[in-house]
Amino acid sequence: MAYYQLQAKLKNGDVVNLDFSDFNLSLNQLVEIDYFTNQYASWDFLELASKHVKQETISEIESIRISVRGKEFCYSTCFQNPYLSALFHETGSTLLVRDSHIPLSNRALIEMVEFLFTNLEQKGALFFSDYSYKNQLSTKINRYLNIQLFSEEDVREQMTLKQEIIREMSKYKVYRSLCVYRKTLDWKKNQIPRVIQRLNSQIDFKIIPKPSKIVVDEGESDVSSQYAFSWENLSGEEREEFLSEDEIKQMVKTYE
């Protein structure tokens, strides 16, 4: 039995292992599964998966997930995640890096490092509102954000933590979690409505009322509870979400 298993969860609650042996693929590792699924849009993969579920149709597949042998949690499946694509574009299918580490010289990793520290500078502790994984990365970032630079020793500690964070990011599963996090941020940005108004050139701009803040209704997020569950090990270091928020909403809209 493979350590990682790509599965289809059906609307009746059944779970079916997906076998793509006809594609001559080895899908025993997380990176192998990601390399395969990330080539597809979610809808295209659902159609492909339906052909590998005996006597089932696409309308009966609720979601695609990645189970881990001996664990109660599942990984979300990545579909056309541009940040994973950047990694695979540089490494190809040979990303099966030893010890599950990405070389620090990898351009996709370097870009992700730049993004993360810019993001932390802008968001601070708000980073954790969208990055829901409890792992060593989140622990180190929490320490990093709480350092107050009062002395040279504090500066050295911050620099040391920064290097530790970068080493954590070179682990494939950690890099992957940031890809999911970053795509979630992109999805949220695209949900903010943009209203373009044509202004009469004769209008006195001094009397134009200031636009009110746009409030995004997050009530729909409860829908995730129907599909997602979290798992935390005894040391509290890992937590994987069943599906990312954008995947959940897309799936729900499809099968209403």
Side-chain angles (χ1 to χ4, degrees):
M1 179 180 177
Y3 188 72
Y4 294 93
Q5 177 65 59
L6 192 59
Q7 297 178 330
K9 183 178 180 182
L10 308 183
K11 293 187 71 175
N12 63 6
D14 292 342
V15 175
V16 179
N17 290 339
L18 294 174
D19 178 12
F20 290 94
S21 57
D22 55 326
F23 282 32
N24 195 29
L25 291 174
S26 171
L27 299 178
N28 297 323
Q29 300 298 321
L30 182 62
V31 64
E32 293 175 319
I33 294 174
D34 287 343
Y35 184 78
F36 176 50
T37 62
N38 203 59
Q39 299 176 62
Y40 295 88
S42 56
W43 315 122
D44 293 335
F45 194 84
L46 281 174
E47 184 175 0
L48 177 66
S50 69
K51 298 175 182 178
H52 289 75
V53 177
K54 295 181 180 180
Q55 299 179 345
E56 304 293 346
T57 64
I58 188 170
S59 63
E60 294 174 310
I61 297 179
E62 180 180 271
S63 62
I64 305 295
R65 69 187 195 180
I66 304 170
S67 67
V68 187
R69 184 174 61 186
K71 305 295 184 181
E72 296 180 5
F73 68 88
C74 291
Y75 284 96
S76 61
T77 312
C78 292
F79 299 111
Q80 291 189 338
N81 186 304
Y83 310 108
L84 270 182
S85 296
L87 181 65
F88 293 142
H89 178 74
E90 185 173 351
T91 62
S93 59
T94 61
L95 178 66
L96 307 176
V97 287
R98 291 169 186 165
D99 302 322
S100 300
H101 278 69
I102 303 168
L104 294 176
S105 59
N106 184 279
R107 286 173 293 181
L109 176 60
I110 292 171
E111 196 278 334
M112 185 65 82
V113 168
E114 293 175 352
F115 159 78
L116 176 63
F117 285 99
T118 300
N119 185 256
L120 292 177
E121 183 178 343
Q122 294 172 346
K123 297 186 66 173
L126 291 176
F127 166 81
F128 298 105
S129 63
D130 290 304
Y131 187 85
S132 55
Y133 298 83
K134 291 184 179 179
N135 51 23
Q136 286 295 324
L137 179 70
S138 62
T139 299
K140 293 180 186 298
I141 286 177
N142 186 56
R143 288 171 53 199
Y144 178 84
L145 292 174
N146 282 287
I147 292 177
Q148 298 185 22
L149 303 178
F150 293 136
S151 65
E152 291 185 5
E153 184 177 349
D154 295 332
V155 173
R156 286 194 295 270
E157 182 183 1
Q158 185 187 60
M159 292 301 296
T160 299
L161 268 174
K162 184 173 183 177
Q163 293 305 313
E164 291 179 8
I165 289 171
I166 293 172
R167 284 194 292 271
E168 279 298 314
M169 293 174 66
S170 71
K171 298 176 182 178
Y172 177 73
K173 288 197 294 185
V174 175
Y175 178 88
R176 182 190 196 274
S177 72
L178 287 167
C179 291
V180 174
Y181 163 74
R182 199 168 173 182
K183 189 176 180 182
T184 298
L185 294 185
D186 293 343
W187 180 85
K188 286 188 173 183
K189 287 178 183 178
N190 292 333
Q191 300 310 300
I192 299 177
R194 297 180 181 179
V195 179
I196 301 176
Q197 295 180 340
R198 293 183 179 180
L199 299 177
N200 189 316
S201 60
Q202 297 179 351
I203 293 178
D204 186 350
F205 284 86
K206 293 181 181 179
I207 65 172
I208 297 178
K210 294 182 179 180
S212 59
K213 293 183 178 179
I214 297 173
V215 178
V216 180
D217 182 8
E218 296 182 350
E220 292 183 356
S221 63
D222 292 340
V223 124
S224 64
S225 63
Q226 300 175 34
Y227 303 94
F229 64 89
S230 61
W231 172 89
E232 189 172 314
N233 65 17
L234 294 177
S235 59
E237 293 181 348
E238 287 289 343
R239 176 178 163 212
E240 301 295 345
E241 291 188 295
F242 196 84
L243 290 175
S244 63
E245 185 175 347
D246 55 337
E247 292 170 334
I248 292 170
K249 295 194 180 216
Q250 289 174 351
M251 293 292 184
V252 171
K253 290 179 180 177
T254 303
Y255 299 113
E256 285 178 347

